[in-house]
Amino acid sequence: MDFIELFDACVIETNPRPDKYTKPTSLEAKLSEEDIGLDSLDVTLTMVLIMEVYGVADSEDFNVPTESLGAMQEYMQANKTREFDSVEAAMESVT
């Protein structure tokens, strides 16, 4: 499953009108308002939904790195308890 596509789907789910959001083009993208147009609350809401997709415990939310999309992906891959073949299947599991 493509992590950038999953991130994008989670942004749209948690923020239906992301006026300033710019979809990341690589895993090196910084999770900052300057780079992708999401403020810290938007990033947190998106991260919580991604954690739910991967089955990462809520108690881990302070441990998830949010400096870049790649760092978040690595953490999710290392701590996941669920996996999906597609973004669609992943999003159906949490919405």
Side-chain angles (χ1 to χ4, degrees):
M1 175 172 53
D2 184 278
F3 194 76
I4 293 173
E5 293 300 323
L6 176 64
F7 183 84
D8 188 55
C10 288
V11 167
I12 302 303
E13 182 64 32
T14 60
N15 189 351
R17 295 187 54 210
D19 301 328
K20 297 178 183 177
Y21 172 62
T22 302
K23 182 179 177 179
T25 57
S26 77
L27 293 174
E28 285 80 37
K30 302 234 180 291
L31 299 179
S32 66
E33 196 161 357
E34 295 81 27
D35 284 5
I36 61 171
L38 296 178
D39 63 24
S40 60
L41 178 58
D42 292 331
V43 170
T44 299
L45 292 172
T46 301
M47 176 195 70
V48 168
L49 187 55
I50 292 172
M51 289 175 63
E52 190 174 335
V53 166
Y54 283 109
V56 175
D58 291 342
S59 60
E60 291 295 311
D61 62 349
F62 289 108
N63 297 323
V64 178
T66 57
E67 64 270 4
S68 73
L69 196 55
M72 183 185 285
Q73 179 199 33
E74 288 175 16
Y75 186 87
M76 296 300 169
Q77 289 297 319
N79 293 281
K80 67 185 176 186
T81 60
R82 304 187 322 169
E83 189 165 347
F84 297 92
D85 292 330
S86 69
V87 171
E88 293 78 17
M91 293 308 293
E92 285 177 13
S93 76
V94 294
T95 57

